[in-house]
Amino acid sequence: MFRTTDVILIGVMVAAAAVTFKIKYDAELKYEEVRRLEAEIRTERDTIDVLEADLSVLTQPARLQTLVDAYAEELQLQSVEPDQIGSLDRLPETLRQIGEIVSARALEEAITDDVQTGAVSQ
Amino acid sequence: MITEHLRRLAGRAQSKASDGGIVLDGARTGNGRARNRLIMTIAVFLALYGAIAGRLVYLGFQEPADGSGPAPHNTASRPDIIDRNGELLATDIKTFSLFAEPRRIVDADEAIEKLLTVLPDIQYEQVYHRLRTDAGFVWLRRHLSPRQQAEIMALGIPGIGFRAENRRFYPGGPTASHIMGLVDIDNKGIAGIEKFIDSLGLADLREIGLAERETLKPFQLSIDIRVQHILHDELKRAMERYQTVAAGGVVLDARTGEVVAMASLPDYDPNNPVDAHKKDRLNRMSGGVFEMGSTFKGFTTAMALDSGAVGLNDSFDARQPLRVGKFTIKDFHGKGRVLSVPEIFIYSSNIGTARMAEQIPIEQHQAFFRRIGLLDRMTTELPEVATPTGPAEWKRINRITISFGHGVATTPLQTAVAASALVNGGMLIEPTFLPRSASQAAGQAKQVLSDKTSAAMRYLFRLNVEKGSGRRAEVPGYFVGGKTGTAEKVVNGRYSTDKRFNAFLSAFPVDDPKYVVLVILDEPKPEQPGMSATSGLNTAPVVSNVVRRSAPLLGVMPEFGHESTALLISTQ
């Protein structure tokens, strides 16, 4: 007859085998998952490369120029001339005071305004 | 051994039967028959298993059916190439080529129907015939994108497969073809910057298997793709407008020596370089030598001024043609009077320039040209660099013709480099296609002429655009200065009068030059019959267009308050 210890030992053995099998099985599953993810990453990387190349093709100056030429009339596009380029600090100093000039004149005109318009009572 | 084993088995059956223990069914009918039956059964099973095992061994030794086509082509990875602003100039993309194994195709019709959902443009009949052949392998479509590949995979068609290939791709096509160069079928650089990258050690890295795509950093160039496009575009138009054989141009940073743009037409598409090796596709800017013509007068004038023997206010007699031996030096637009140095420059007088050069000893003249790098092979990253040609020993006639740009052939790129030394304060900086900072440039620059001479040259360049042959190069606001050059080409050993090589050498803004622009046109024809085809009429407008379009992109702000007299004062 089996002794109790035998039964326990057999139980332990079976359990250990089961756990080992489970771990091995899980590990294989994980490996599979890793391989799948790696393949996915590779595909995504390749896709990024292609999309970057795509973007670069779409934003090529040569291509943009063809588009500009094609739609120039419809969108009324014109090239920028050098005299249209400037920066704020290159504006004449006096222009900064234009607000004062306007308000001073308005004050002046408010006193001596003799323009007859519809809004002024006739 | 097997028979021995059998005998032992049979013997055991026999002994068991005689023991009267467990008895085989057949044992009752007679000892001998039972034994025979047993042996028969065993033999049949053994034969069966033997046959199976033999078949397995046979199959094991069989080569798998040839269905994989040509061996996979393992192309090497290369780093991306980007321009100075990080725009992509060249990249590797993984493409997939679709193949089929007709022997394994179950239903060709179904396979094509399914393929049509992803590749709507395949030729039904053509593909059908290919799939119905008995071939082991047929290509169906080369270079599919990863997305298309995934979609076709998802269709689950038996008997088709993919081959991954690395392919070099240049999004700009021909725009920067001569700078980029070429790669061969193994993705090895064989020309241009691609070859230069390999020479840096990429080839060695690849040998030991370290050139993985993920670990390769992008390779940055000094090129600005926008300016490159503008130059390429303007040269293309000029080729059509003036019916030229070839055209070329370079935009050079005058303070760092960086090549911002360089183009040479006719060119090729590096994505499909079928005609890259045709003779007329060479890179004329660095790989071709030309007699640069009157643009050389700038260098001669600078030499004369720098030596101190000639001043800006000196005058030279240009009334009579200059006779040297059996040669006669004449002026193209003869003024027939005594000309001052600035007048010689803006009227591009051959006689005046020659007389001015004669104030300086020949050796000094040659030494100066060598010092500004016009006579020796320049060093730069591009492998396609030509060696200038000219007489080893200069005689009087040589130095006179060389003073106005005939008799010495040099590359346009090194002419532009020498010109940047003329205008940037006298610093000669080797050209580079890689980013270089101003301090790095200053570290390796050579002072080849005095700051004062450089200031005088800036004045002369500007004067020539205001009043001289370069008027059509003017761009309001950008203060362009430049020198025209109309050289007669040598045809069958003689200078031809109707075949010209035109150049325009310019700098902007010329009061503090940031960029040097050189444009060359080979054999331009008059725009309209009856018109002339001199440099001022064709290369100057090209330079003007290039400057107007590219200056805002290069960050040069237009200024309208320029005083040319200020340039003159600074020379005194």
Side-chain angles (χ1 to χ4, degrees), chain B residues 320-337:
Chain B
Q320 299 298 324
L322 191 63
R323 289 191 169 277
V324 184
K326 56 181 177 155
F327 300 97
T328 311
I329 311 299
K330 283 179 287 199
D331 275 358
F332 189 67
H333 310 280
K335 292 282 164 193
R337 61 181 171 89

Side-chain angles (χ1 to χ4, degrees), chain A residues 42-43 45-47 49-54 56-57 59-63 65 69 79-87 90, chain B residues 87-88 91-94 96 146-147 169 171-172 175 213-214 225-226 229 233 237 475-476 478 548-549 552 557-560:
Chain A
R42 242 190 335 268
T43 316
R45 275 219 182 106
D46 291 344
T47 314
D49 282 345
V50 172
L51 288 177
E52 266 172 6
D54 246 354
S56 180
V57 168
T59 55
Q60 272 302 309
R63 179 177 177 273
Q65 190 182 325
D69 289 346
S79 53
V80 179
E81 294 300 322
D83 55 9
Q84 293 169 302
I85 301 169
S87 58
R90 293 194 182 202
Chain B
E87 295 290 329
L88 203 59
T91 187
D92 269 357
I93 48 176
K94 193 169 267 180
F96 297 90
R147 201 182 314 149
F169 177 65
T175 309
R213 176 132 182 82
E214 283 76 36
I225 186 67
R226 302 167 301 175
H229 161 71
D233 184 53
R237 288 177 199 214
V475 184
Y478 289 119
R548 192 179 56 247
R549 291 174 64 184
M557 288 298 279
E559 273 191 60
F560 291 92

Side-chain angles (χ1 to χ4, degrees), chain B residues 26-286:
Chain B
R28 281 187 199 144
T29 52
N31 227 353
R33 278 175 69 189
R35 209 169 107 180
N36 278 349
R37 278 187 192 172
L38 192 67
I39 291 171
M40 286 271 284
T41 318
I42 289 168
V44 166
F45 272 97
L46 266 178
L48 242 154
Y49 282 113
I52 292 172
R55 178 71 179 161
L56 273 175
V57 170
Y58 168 76
L59 286 177
F61 278 110
Q62 273 300 73
E63 287 292 314
D66 183 29
S68 44
H73 196 74
N74 224 346
T75 44
S77 300
R78 302 185 65 76
D80 287 353
I81 301 179
I82 56 176
D83 84 342
R84 62 189 304 128
N85 303 313
E87 295 290 329
L88 203 59
L89 296 176
T91 187
D92 269 357
I93 48 176
K94 193 169 267 180
T95 58
F96 297 90
S97 294
L98 176 66
F99 64 83
E101 295 164 79
R103 284 194 211 128
R104 298 186 185 173
I105 296 274
V106 182
D107 183 346
D109 280 306
E110 192 201 355
I112 299 173
E113 296 270 325
K114 280 182 171 175
L115 279 179
L116 273 170
T117 61
V118 179
L119 307 169
D121 55 335
I122 49 177
Q123 304 263 322
Y124 196 102
E125 272 178 39
Q126 194 192 354
V127 175
Y128 185 81
H129 284 304
R130 277 200 209 163
L131 293 186
R132 296 291 295 189
T133 56
D134 204 27
F137 184 94
V138 287
W139 284 117
L140 288 184
R141 181 67 69 88
R142 305 301 289 265
H143 303 310
L144 293 171
S145 71
R147 201 182 314 149
Q148 287 171 313
Q149 188 240 5
E151 283 173 16
I152 294 174
M153 283 283 248
L155 295 175
I157 308 168
I160 63 162
F162 296 93
R163 209 25 85 63
E165 288 169 311
N166 259 343
R167 188 163 173 242
R168 199 67 169 155
F169 177 65
Y170 304 88
T175 309
S177 50
H178 283 114
I179 302 171
M180 300 280 91
L182 281 175
V183 293
D184 65 5
I185 190 149
D186 296 319
N187 240 4
K188 288 198 185 98
I190 51 169
I193 286 294
E194 297 278 21
K195 189 174 181 185
F196 173 71
I197 293 175
D198 276 20
S199 73
L200 285 182
L202 178 69
D204 302 333
L205 270 184
R206 201 181 287 146
E207 288 289 311
I208 55 172
L210 280 179
E212 280 300 309
R213 176 132 182 82
E214 283 76 36
T215 57
L216 294 172
K217 269 195 207 138
F219 194 83
Q220 191 166 33
L221 300 186
S222 62
I223 303 300
D224 185 324
I225 186 67
R226 302 167 301 175
V227 181
Q228 176 71 29
H229 161 71
I230 290 168
L231 184 65
H232 187 264
D233 184 53
E234 286 298 336
L235 291 174
K236 209 163 78 185
R237 288 177 199 214
M239 268 190 86
E240 283 163 19
R241 200 180 312 135
Y242 307 114
Q243 306 280 307
T244 67
V245 174
V250 60
V251 179
L252 195 69
D253 189 313
R255 287 171 301 189
T256 63
E258 292 171 290
V259 177
V260 176
M262 187 179 85
S264 167
L265 273 76
D267 54 10
Y268 57 89
D269 184 353
N271 292 319
N272 184 22
V274 278
D275 43 22
H277 293 295
K278 282 190 190 158
K279 217 178 162 197
D280 64 331
R281 307 295 154 107
L282 98 148
N283 181 1
R284 287 175 165 72
M285 296 311 287
S286 68

Side-chain angles (χ1 to χ4, degrees), chain B residues 314-393:
Chain B
D314 290 354
S315 298
F316 294 90
D317 187 359
R319 282 177 297 191
Q320 299 298 324
L322 191 63
R323 289 191 169 277
V324 184
K326 56 181 177 155
F327 300 97
T328 311
I329 311 299
K330 283 179 287 199
D331 275 358
F332 189 67
H333 310 280
K335 292 282 164 193
R337 61 181 171 89
V338 175
L339 298 172
S340 70
V341 170
E343 280 174 330
I344 290 172
F345 193 76
I346 67 173
Y347 300 137
S348 201
S349 163
N350 294 343
I351 305 166
T353 310
R355 288 202 193 281
M356 187 161 60
E358 292 214 283
Q359 303 297 308
I360 287 96
I362 294 181
E363 300 74 47
Q364 214 175 313
H365 193 170
Q366 192 174 5
F368 179 82
F369 273 37
R370 178 144 284 144
R371 195 160 77 227
I372 58 173
L374 287 172
L375 304 182
D376 297 310
R377 190 173 188 270
M378 71 181 153
T379 49
T380 187
E381 292 86 9
L382 281 195
E384 297 86 12
V385 175
T387 309
T389 58
E393 195 190 334

